[in-house]
Amino acid sequence: MEDNKRGAAAAAEELPGGRALPKTGKSEQTRAVILDTAMRLFRERGYDKTTMRAIATEAGVSVGNAYYYFESKEFLIQGFYDQMTHEHARAAAVRMEGVRDFAERLDIALTAWLDCAAEYHEFAAQFFRTAADPDSSLSPFSNESHPARATAVALFRDVLMDSDLAPKLDAELTELLPDLLWLHLMVVVLYWVFDRTPDTARTREFVRRSTPLTARVIALSRYRAFRPLVRDAKGLIQDFILPTIGRTPLPDRPTSTPAPTSRRRKPRKSAT
Amino acid sequence: MEDNKRGAAAAAEELPGGRALPKTGKSEQTRAVILDTAMRLFRERGYDKTTMRAIATEAGVSVGNAYYYFESKEFLIQGFYDQMTHEHARAAAVRMEGVRDFAERLDIALTAWLDCAAEYHEFAAQFFRTAADPDSSLSPFSNESHPARATAVALFRDVLMDSDLAPKLDAELTELLPDLLWLHLMVVVLYWVFDRTPDTARTREFVRRSTPLTARVIALSRYRAFRPLVRDAKGLIQDFILPTIGRTPLPDRPTSTPAPTSRRRKPRKSAT
DNA sequence: ACCGTTCTTTGAACGTGTTCAAAACCTGCG
DNA sequence: CGCAGGTTTTGAACACGTTCAAAGAACGGT
């Protein structure tokens, strides 16, 4: 990491959002103007067609000023993502009210995301592209302190906990599932990004069909016959998936299954 | 699609690789020199640090000439990907010889990929970033005519068909699995891209632990109790996953399960 | 009121990917 | 050879993201 792509240009250490919290409330307004202008232009013209010069001009500031508040053009996306995540959490909570069926709650939560993100479809493709870059601090996978993800995971915890399924599951699974459901959302997002049908109808249908299946798999996991399978799957997820996305679940349990299916040495050929 | 990002600049229609096949063998040599130089520089300095001017200079041509053969810098990646895919298929086939156990064959195939890609780890992150862009014709997901994917899927067909698991599965599943195993590879690639451990040891361990699980799930799918679950999962994959990556599996069967779990209308709120 | 310090703003300048009109080269034909 | 048609090559020019030294504003202490 000796030659960082962006080496903390300003004194920005607080948020990955671009800069530290300013003291005066004045500059926060400038920041907001720039962000709002950028979002509008992204919506209107798309990400690539919107130049930093255009954003600055439309916002009534200089281009350098935009870079004072946002480390790069990509960091403007972060602003969008944070904003949308909160909007999604609110919308989903409202729509789920009263619904107990787990599959239906999950469906509502995912569909709510599609609705929130709808008008940014074109532009969000660019966002996803950025998310796939491990060097970018915007990536929801690699950046552990991504605040938006915590919000999203909390939403899925609610999806589960207020459903009829929650009391039937053991504690461990309850601990794991919110993150897994968030991964489910990531899969849906991936599908959505590539979806070109009007109103992303295909993705909506995909959600409608996949959620009952997810619910069924989770419900099945309680049965005796799957214990070994479920146990191994849980281990895999705990040891390899969750740490990657910045979680250390079940801290009271010291790395179970030390040598999983040991001995099974393969002839590791030496290149060429 | 009225304002294409890159509108077929030259008379390039043949390959997505950048240009049509030239008549003389001479220019093909120039093309090869440019590609090889680019790959070398990518390896040495990484993608971002390698400028088109540097590639051109090192290759002994002008920068415009590089653009005559490759529509953009990203298209140079395509060359890398095609090359590596074939290398992987060859290496995996050799290593699998004689091995019958499915989990082990899968492990070998995936690990072979990690070995082939090892020296491009840094640079391939950039490739993955490109792959996540639905507008890019390099994306293995959206671009249906991606020749490299056919090669990769064929490899996984071999992984399955020459294993002890193949005769125990029904025809439908046999049809689906190669593509699904390719998706498994895509997941591993995603994991690998974000993996920063030396020699990507973590990804290797992830493969070692996940392949037996995959094998177990597939084996389980034969049992009576899962029939409905497996049937729905198959339907979902056939209708929503495979078409997206450019496949039309089981063409003899006319869209089974027309209305899956019908009626379950949710109060679809009208925006705001 | 004056100064020092920090926060904010500016816009010219730089490096990079990409484009394009023109030149150079080639090849077959009279 | 001379010339017409194509293919290949050139490098200056352009647009954009980003940087930076310097200027301006705000504010606290004396």
Side-chain angles (χ1 to χ4, degrees):
Chain A
M1 231 181 267
E2 74 293 347
D3 194 3
N4 233 345
K5 206 161 130 198
R6 332 202 165 297
E13 235 77 33
E14 279 271 19
L15 301 177
R19 258 199 101 266
L21 277 309
K23 272 97 183 187
T24 64
K26 162 66 186 313
S27 70
E28 234 171 318
Q29 196 180 332
T30 310
R31 189 194 147 95
V33 169
I34 294 171
L35 182 60
D36 289 346
T37 306
M39 305 265 282
R40 179 170 59 79
L41 293 184
F42 286 162
R43 261 199 318 266
E44 286 174 12
R45 323 178 181 176
Y47 184 80
D48 280 328
K49 297 259 184 63
T50 304
T51 71
M52 287 300 281
R53 285 166 179 82
I55 294 172
T57 304
E58 288 267 317
V61 299
S62 72
V63 59
N65 202 10
Y67 277 93
Y68 179 70
Y69 288 103
F70 297 93
E71 220 167 297
S72 74
K73 193 181 177 187
E74 285 184 356
F75 273 84
L76 286 164
I77 299 178
Q78 175 81 304
F80 151 75
Y81 187 59
D82 292 347
Q83 195 169 303
M84 209 207 62
T85 301
H86 284 94
E87 202 179 320
H88 170 226
R90 222 177 319 116
V94 170
R95 294 195 203 180
M96 286 190 301
E97 229 163 335
V99 181
R100 302 261 104 174
D101 180 63
F102 172 74
E104 206 160 336
R105 287 176 70 82
L106 184 57
D107 187 315
I108 290 171
L110 295 175
T111 302
W113 192 93
L114 296 178
D115 291 339
C116 284
E119 64 177 330
Y120 297 98
H121 187 225
E122 185 99 6
F123 144 55
Q126 201 66 33
F127 164 71
F128 194 78
R129 183 193 160 102
T130 297
D133 181 0
D135 291 329
S136 167
S137 56
L138 299 187
S139 169
F141 293 118
S142 65
N143 183 12
E144 311 202 353
S145 61
H146 201 140
R149 196 186 48 235
T151 305
V153 170
L155 167 64
F156 283 108
R157 185 180 304 277
D158 290 347
V159 167
L160 175 67
M161 294 313 276
D162 293 348
S163 80
D164 52 8
L165 200 58
K168 302 178 186 172
L169 301 174
D170 68 281
E172 270 190 48
L173 207 55
T174 305
E175 198 76 25
L176 253 60
L177 273 176
D179 284 292
L180 288 184
L181 295 176
W182 177 78
L183 280 178
H184 190 164
L185 172 62
M186 290 300 105
V187 171
V188 170
V189 171
L190 175 61
Y191 199 95
W192 174 80
V193 163
F194 284 88
D195 185 2
R196 293 282 197 239
T197 60
D199 197 30
T200 61
R202 194 164 178 75
T203 306
R204 291 169 188 281
E205 192 63 24
F206 176 59
V207 166
R208 185 148 43 237
R209 289 260 304 260
S210 68
T211 47
L213 212 58
T214 302
R216 204 125 50 99
V217 169
I218 295 174
L220 270 184
S221 74
R222 289 181 300 148
Y223 288 103
R224 254 292 161 75
F226 312 110
R227 271 294 150 73
L229 188 67
V230 170
R231 207 177 54 88
D232 283 8
K234 275 202 285 205
L236 191 67
I237 291 162
Q238 268 175 41
D239 296 348
F240 287 89
I241 310 289
L242 298 192
T244 303
I245 59 178
R247 290 229 131 204
T248 46
L250 313 188
D252 42 339
R253 204 143 135 297
T255 345
S256 65
T257 58
T261 6
S262 58
R263 111 208 72 73
R264 204 156 96 22
R265 226 172 259 75
K266 290 177 290 358
R268 207 168 289 296
K269 195 166 277 188
S270 63
T272 52
Chain B
M1 231 184 269
E2 76 290 349
D3 193 4
N4 232 345
K5 205 159 126 196
R6 333 205 162 293
E13 235 79 32
E14 278 270 19
L15 302 176
R19 258 198 101 266
L21 276 309
K23 272 97 182 184
T24 63
K26 162 67 185 311
S27 70
E28 231 170 321
Q29 196 181 331
T30 309
R31 189 195 147 95
V33 169
I34 294 171
L35 181 60
D36 289 345
T37 306
M39 305 266 282
R40 178 169 60 80
L41 293 184
F42 286 162
R43 260 200 318 266
E44 286 174 12
R45 324 177 178 177
Y47 183 80
D48 280 329
K49 297 259 184 62
T50 304
T51 71
M52 287 301 280
R53 285 168 179 81
I55 295 172
T57 304
E58 287 267 316
V61 299
S62 73
V63 60
N65 201 10
Y67 277 93
Y68 179 71
Y69 288 102
F70 297 93
E71 221 167 296
S72 74
K73 193 181 176 187
E74 285 184 354
F75 272 83
L76 286 164
I77 299 179
Q78 175 80 303
F80 151 74
Y81 187 57
D82 292 346
Q83 195 171 304
M84 209 207 63
T85 301
H86 283 94
E87 202 178 320
H88 170 225
R90 221 175 321 116
V94 170
R95 295 194 203 180
M96 287 190 302
E97 228 163 337
V99 182
R100 303 260 103 175
D101 180 62
F102 173 74
E104 205 159 340
R105 288 176 70 83
L106 183 58
D107 186 315
I108 290 171
L110 295 175
T111 301
W113 192 93
L114 295 178
D115 290 339
C116 284
E119 63 178 331
Y120 297 98
H121 186 225
E122 185 99 3
F123 144 55
Q126 201 66 34
F127 164 71
F128 195 78
R129 184 191 159 102
T130 297
D133 181 359
D135 291 329
S136 168
S137 56
L138 300 187
S139 169
F141 294 117
S142 64
N143 183 12
E144 311 202 352
S145 61
H146 201 138
R149 197 186 45 236
T151 304
V153 171
L155 166 65
F156 283 109
R157 184 179 306 277
D158 290 347
V159 168
L160 176 66
M161 294 314 274
D162 292 347
S163 80
D164 51 8
L165 201 58
K168 303 178 186 172
L169 302 174
D170 66 279
E172 270 191 47
L173 206 55
T174 304
E175 199 75 27
L176 252 59
L177 274 176
D179 285 291
L180 288 184
L181 295 176
W182 177 77
L183 280 178
H184 190 162
L185 173 62
M186 291 298 105
V187 171
V188 170
V189 172
L190 175 63
Y191 199 94
W192 175 80
V193 164
F194 284 88
D195 186 0
R196 292 283 196 241
T197 60
D199 196 30
T200 61
R202 196 165 177 75
T203 305
R204 291 169 188 279
E205 193 62 25
F206 176 59
V207 166
R208 186 148 42 233
R209 290 259 307 258
S210 68
T211 46
L213 212 58
T214 302
R216 202 123 53 96
V217 168
I218 295 174
L220 270 183
S221 74
R222 288 180 298 147
Y223 288 103
R224 252 290 158 78
F226 311 106
R227 271 295 149 72
L229 187 69
V230 170
R231 207 177 52 88
D232 283 8
K234 274 200 287 205
L236 190 68
I237 290 161
Q238 268 176 41
D239 297 349
F240 287 90
I241 309 289
L242 297 194
T244 302
I245 59 178
R247 290 227 128 205
T248 45
L250 311 188
D252 41 340
R253 202 140 135 299
T255 347
S256 66
T257 58
T261 7
S262 58
R263 112 206 69 76
R264 202 157 96 21
R265 227 171 257 73
K266 288 175 294 357
R268 208 169 285 297
K269 195 166 277 187
S270 63
T272 52

